[in-house]
Amino acid sequence: MKGYMKRQAVFACNTCVGPDMEPAGVCLACANHCHDGHDISELYTKRKFRCDCGNQKFDGFTCKLRPEKDGVNVKNVYNHNYFGRYCSCDRHYPDEDDQVNEEMIQCIVCEDWYHARHLDNPAMDSDALMEMICVGCMNRAPFLWTYAAHFAVSPLNEVQANAAHAGDEKSSSSTSCRDVASTSYQINETQMKHESETTRHQHKTNTDRCVYKELKVNDMKKMREAAVFWPYHWRSELCMCTGCKRMYVETGVAFLLDESDTLLAYEKKAETESVTCDDVLLSCISSLDHVQQLDIIYQYNDLKQELCEFLQQSTEEGKDVTPDICLEFLEEFRTRKRRRLSSEGHYSS
């Protein structure tokens, strides 16, 4: 409803859009108001997406919240997630035939979700929040391999380190880049954030210097056949010279320079919007693992966004917001959520 949003929760309506049709996605408000009772799949968040509800992809279906829509949203990017399929294996999720109960990991570039076993690279065990870029996206933006050789948290750096130290004494070459990276994670978050901001400031104030070219000198072009894992502060290392900024645009990854694009920023935004409520929420979920925390945060943000939409609509229609109306809204929200989870196989009574 609000145009191309920087990041928002997106849903696919399997009732309105069949597998033989063009992919389409709808926002949270439309999923709940226009497609209530439909077979809805939750796609989590997507960047720069505009709601398709009621446009020509829906074959005559009209959006109840905003009937006048453009025919298509030309800037939207779609993939097989919109048909309920994920990963390089192109399987549905949840997959009843898959006997391996495995966590899926999202690529920050294409935003597809992958089984860890299909990344050709074991997920790194670290307390630091990390981002992953699949091998396909790495190859579509090949300059990233140079940065991976220096900053990624993956076996790539271990190979680079061993090659760089070939011929040295065993005692001096026993420490791999992964060991160094693991040690660096002991730095507290405040210090890491300060270092990240300092690096970004240095890049911004010296746009003639090309950090990428300096790093490329030592790029040994090894192990370019697997997904890459990154520490959350790695984006601050990207070169900010004019030539590199042009390269980011040409390869479709200019969003990497946007500090608010990260999942960490998305979570931080939720924290700052409602400090009191979020403090309680974060305290309650602190003992859960990261995937469970994200799931609860997504649901919390869903409720908050829909409540804002409800209050705004009530104001525009001149309705009084009474306690009874609020209770009715909450009950309808629970019913829609329960119905959606049941259709996705995540809920049982």
Side-chain angles (χ1 to χ4, degrees), residues 51 70 182 257 259 303:
C51 180
D70 292 340
S182 298
L257 299 181
E259 297 176 358
L303 172 60

Side-chain angles (χ1 to χ4, degrees), residues 103-114:
E103 171 184 326
M104 299 190 79
I105 305 171
Q106 188 181 37
C107 171
I108 64 169
V109 176
C110 65
E111 298 187 300
D112 196 0
W113 291 80
Y114 292 84

Side-chain angles (χ1 to χ4, degrees), residues 3 16 46 60-61 79 82 86 163 275 314:
C16 295
K46 300 288 184 183
F61 183 88
N79 59 18
Y82 291 83
Y86 302 85
V275 176
S314 298

Side-chain angles (χ1 to χ4, degrees), residues 180-232:
V180 175
S182 298
T183 302
S184 69
Y185 289 149
Q186 304 307 313
I187 303 174
N188 63 60
E189 182 179 343
T190 302
Q191 183 177 348
M192 294 180 75
K193 181 178 180 181
H194 173 72
E195 291 176 352
S196 175
E197 291 175 348
T198 300
T199 303
R200 177 61 62 87
H201 176 72
Q202 290 173 346
H203 290 349
K204 284 183 177 180
T205 55
N206 188 2
T207 56
D208 293 330
R209 174 194 173 199
C210 184
V211 177
Y212 170 62
K213 290 181 179 179
E214 295 174 6
L215 295 175
K216 195 172 183 181
V217 173
N218 297 318
D219 180 9
M220 302 188 68
K221 300 179 174 61
K222 298 290 185 180
M223 295 290 290
R224 295 189 171 193
E225 300 176 351
V228 176
F229 291 85
W230 309 80
Y232 73 84

Side-chain angles (χ1 to χ4, degrees), residues 62-210:
T62 302
C63 176
K64 298 177 182 178
L65 300 179
R66 184 167 295 179
E68 299 298 326
K69 292 284 187 77
D70 292 340
V72 292
N73 295 316
V74 295
K75 295 181 180 179
N76 282 358
V77 177
Y78 306 92
N79 59 18
H80 60 174
N81 294 172
Y82 291 83
F83 295 114
R85 302 193 306 274
Y86 302 85
C87 189
S88 55
C89 63
D90 199 36
R91 300 286 296 180
H92 286 272
Y93 181 83
D95 188 351
E96 297 179 356
D97 297 327
D98 189 357
Q99 301 302 316
V100 181
N101 185 17
E102 185 178 39
E103 171 184 326
M104 299 190 79
I105 305 171
Q106 188 181 37
C107 171
I108 64 169
V109 176
C110 65
E111 298 187 300
D112 196 0
W113 291 80
Y114 292 84
H115 299 101
R117 65 183 184 274
H118 293 151
L119 293 176
D120 297 320
N121 186 5
M124 306 305 296
D125 185 14
S126 171
D127 292 334
L129 176 63
M130 291 192 296
E131 298 183 317
M132 185 274 289
I133 301 181
C134 70
V135 65
C137 290
M138 290 292 295
N139 288 330
R140 282 187 286 274
F143 73 89
L144 288 172
W145 290 113
T146 295
Y147 286 95
H150 296 270
F151 305 111
V153 185
S154 73
L156 170 67
N157 275 344
E158 186 171 5
V159 171
Q160 298 280 16
N162 291 338
H165 291 292
D168 290 350
E169 294 181 3
K170 183 177 181 180
S171 61
S172 64
S173 61
S174 59
T175 303
S176 68
C177 283
R178 192 192 304 182
D179 295 329
V180 175
S182 298
T183 302
S184 69
Y185 289 149
Q186 304 307 313
I187 303 174
N188 63 60
E189 182 179 343
T190 302
Q191 183 177 348
M192 294 180 75
K193 181 178 180 181
H194 173 72
E195 291 176 352
S196 175
E197 291 175 348
T198 300
T199 303
R200 177 61 62 87
H201 176 72
Q202 290 173 346
H203 290 349
K204 284 183 177 180
T205 55
N206 188 2
T207 56
D208 293 330
R209 174 194 173 199
C210 184

